[in-house]
Amino acid sequence: MVLRSHSFRDGGRVPASVQPYFFLSYAHTPRFGAGGPDPDMWVDHLFRDLCSHVMALTDLPAGSDAGFMDREIRSGEGWSERLGAALATCRVFVPLFSRRYFASQMCGKEWFAFAQRAIRQSAVSDRPAEAIVPALWVPVAPAQLPLPAERLQFNHNTFGERYVTEGFYGLIKLRSYAEEYERAVYELAKRIVRVAESVRLDSIRPVDYRVVPSAFGPAGSGARTLQVTVAAASRHDLPEGRSPEYYGESALEWNPYHPASRKPVAVVAEDLVRSLNYQTTLASFDDETGPFDTKQPPVRPEILIVDRWSVRDERRRRRLAAFDQESRPWINVVVPWNRSDHQGRSKESELAQRLEETMPVKMGQGRAACRAAANGVADMETLGQILPQVVEAAAQQFLRHAQVYPPTSGTPTERPRLLGPMGMDGPPAPPPRAPFPPEAQSDHDDTDRGDADDSRP
């Protein structure tokens, strides 16, 4: 039997047909001193053992790709394409947990690229599609885990007590733990095979790895919060002639990508945002009826998902117009638009023009990705690609407008720092407020229009 595995130390190219069974994601450890031993030789050892067990536990034919390891291919021609191809086709994603791993933006990109694929499949099947099998390279305290890792339902104890306390690094380095190592690596291989056979992820088109965001957020960002709000009808108050098949009991059940998706767009968006290291809340635009105080700083960035058919309801249209007149660049608009919806396609020009007239500020606000999202997102694949960019733009604008608190101690020459709602320590955020204005037009003189480009410093 020929055991094939890919670590690409020789810079070789990945054949188009490569579909690795599992993807081992690992943070490269720098050498200690010039010419020192390669610290990643132990990861190579673990990788080879995993590949051998996976081949033995499956009916993969000789010459199949048991595994793919991402080490040492992050430079040179084609590295992004090779990573993208492996992440788009592998059946299981295996992150090697360590503090260095969660500090790595590269590893965070790999995690998100795979998670986005699983979220899309879960929406299509309306079943869980969790195919991430974590492994402990070294133990990591729960408080040091980013939210996507913390949310994983995984019991490491089944791999052995010594594994939990030492991780693979401790087991593999010490000969006295050889038996515990063999047990742990075999149990991990069995878990990989069990998940691969139960989930059966579909392959997708490779993403551009260079523009994929990190699932761990910006370095040092910590946990963050974001609200996803939906402006849409329920099946009980649809515009005349609109089919109810895309709607539910509330705006949060609106499913514009039916029948390709079996989940509401709010749930899909929430899953995508949560995979970017955010705590999320969902809200209906119709429920946010309290007054908005334009002098108060924001408490979180927000994404407003708008159904173009909403402008057919005069009350909702007036509230969207009033919202558009407020200066809140930390709220970005996303407009799902399913081109397979024949009823919607016949009204596309009319509804798009009326929404443009209703929300001229938001429709032209921000960087190119924000404008593209406001002009119509055609399918779930595009939503998965564009939503992270829209979220990042909203987060950047939030940081520019949020409350700045002076330090509670220190010299008067210290610069103030941002505290509170983006996951940093400090005074509590202001009390929650409704992020949208009431139906009546605000008297606030808008001097900070929402058409600033988020890419500016």
Side-chain angles (χ1 to χ4, degrees):
M1 176 180 292
V2 178
L3 175 65
R4 296 180 62 196
S5 60
H6 287 277
S7 60
F8 294 95
R9 289 184 294 274
D10 59 356
R13 300 187 64 83
V14 178
S17 61
V18 166
Q19 294 188 5
Y21 199 85
F22 71 92
F23 185 109
L24 186 67
S25 179
Y26 171 67
H28 174 68
T29 303
R31 295 175 185 266
F32 182 73
D38 183 0
D40 292 336
M41 62 182 290
W42 303 111
V43 181
D44 283 330
H45 187 98
L46 171 63
F47 179 67
R48 290 194 301 270
D49 287 345
L50 276 176
C51 289
S52 179
H53 286 314
V54 167
M55 292 298 290
L57 292 168
T58 64
D59 59 354
L60 291 174
S64 296
D65 296 290
F68 180 102
M69 189 165 69
D70 67 329
R71 186 170 71 85
E72 295 186 4
I73 67 168
R74 291 172 179 158
S75 62
E77 182 180 357
W79 70 269
S80 177
E81 290 79 4
R82 294 197 292 273
L83 278 179
L87 289 165
T89 58
C90 67
R91 299 173 69 171
V92 177
F93 182 78
V94 183
L96 280 182
F97 282 14
S98 68
R99 293 183 65 178
R100 189 181 301 278
Y101 184 85
F102 295 116
S104 168
Q105 291 292 292
M106 291 294 186
C107 295
K109 286 171 175 281
E110 292 168 0
W111 185 304
F112 181 80
F114 186 84
Q116 175 185 333
R117 178 181 160 202
I119 290 168
R120 178 183 172 189
Q121 176 141 335
S122 179
V124 170
S125 64
D126 198 22
R127 293 193 303 269
E130 184 57 74
I132 298 178
V133 177
L136 300 177
W137 184 240
V138 295
V140 181
Q144 296 172 336
L145 295 175
L147 292 174
E150 184 182 337
R151 294 186 184 110
L152 286 178
Q153 300 296 318
F154 193 88
N155 183 10
H156 291 280
N157 291 317
T158 59
F159 292 1
E161 181 180 347
R162 189 66 67 180
Y163 163 81
V164 173
T165 59
E166 304 294 338
F168 274 117
Y169 179 73
L171 298 185
I172 203 171
K173 285 280 287 182
L174 300 175
R175 293 181 180 179
S176 60
Y177 294 155
E179 185 175 341
E180 288 88 346
Y181 168 78
E182 293 295 342
R183 173 191 171 185
V185 71
Y186 183 60
E187 291 294 334
L188 175 59
K190 288 197 299 183
R191 184 71 63 92
I192 291 170
V193 173
R194 185 160 61 248
V195 169
E197 292 181 347
S198 62
V199 175
R200 297 283 182 178
L201 280 184
D202 294 332
S203 298
I204 63 170
R205 290 184 298 178
V207 299
D208 185 350
Y209 184 82
R210 292 164 294 186
V211 299
V212 171
S214 170
F216 312 146
S221 63
R224 302 171 291 174
T225 61
L226 182 140
Q227 179 160 306
V228 176
T229 304
V230 181
S234 72
R235 63 163 55 102
H236 304 295
D237 61 348
L238 292 174
E240 184 178 354
R242 178 59 172 148
S243 171
E245 63 182 318
Y246 299 95
Y247 300 86
E249 294 300 312
S250 72
L252 296 180
E253 295 183 27
W254 175 47
N255 183 5
Y257 299 125
H258 170 80
S261 173
R262 299 176 64 183
K263 286 187 175 182
V265 68
V267 175
V268 177
E270 180 186 34
D271 287 343
L272 286 167
V273 173
R274 281 162 54 95
S275 66
L276 292 168
N277 202 30
Y278 280 93
Q279 297 278 12
T280 59
T281 57
L282 297 180
S284 167
F285 183 77
D286 289 349
D287 294 338
E288 304 290 350
T289 57
F292 173 73
D293 185 352
T294 57
K295 297 181 180 179
Q296 288 292 329
V299 297
R300 59 187 172 267
E302 301 174 18
I303 301 299
L304 175 62
I305 302 178
V306 178
D307 181 6
R308 283 175 176 164
W309 288 91
S310 295
V311 298
R312 284 282 192 93
D313 180 278
E314 185 57 27
R315 175 181 175 275
R316 198 172 285 119
R317 189 200 66 79
R318 289 199 305 269
R319 292 192 62 241
L320 287 170
F323 158 76
D324 191 63
Q325 294 304 306
E326 301 294 346
S327 176
R328 284 172 285 174
W330 57 88
I331 303 178
N332 281 333
V333 170
V334 176
V335 181
W337 188 253
N338 184 358
R339 298 195 182 279
S340 298
D341 177 357
H342 300 293
Q343 189 179 47
R345 191 166 56 190
S346 67
K347 301 291 185 181
E348 181 172 6
S349 296
E350 172 199 331
L351 295 177
Q353 180 178 352
R354 192 165 188 191
L355 183 60
E356 178 76 32
E357 294 169 351
T358 301
M359 306 180 70
V361 175
K362 285 297 182 185
M363 298 299 289
Q365 171 182 290
R367 58 183 66 167
C370 299
R371 296 191 294 272
N375 287 330
V377 181
D379 50 46
M380 283 191 301
E381 181 178 358
T382 307
L383 180 70
Q385 294 170 355
I386 203 169
L387 187 63
Q389 301 177 59
V390 176
V391 167
E392 178 60 24
Q396 289 183 6
Q397 286 288 2
F398 168 80
L399 290 173
R400 294 175 184 174
H401 294 83
Q403 179 70 56
V404 176
Y405 300 96
T408 56
S409 62
T411 64
T413 58
E414 286 185 301
R415 295 178 61 187
R417 61 182 185 272
L418 180 67
L419 303 170
M422 292 299 275
M424 302 177 69
D425 296 330
R433 57 168 177 79
F436 303 110
E439 197 171 329
Q441 179 74 29
S442 170
D443 294 329
H444 173 62
D445 182 16
D446 187 1
T447 58
D448 181 14
R449 307 295 291 182
D451 56 356
D453 190 337
D454 290 333
S455 63
R456 293 185 301 179

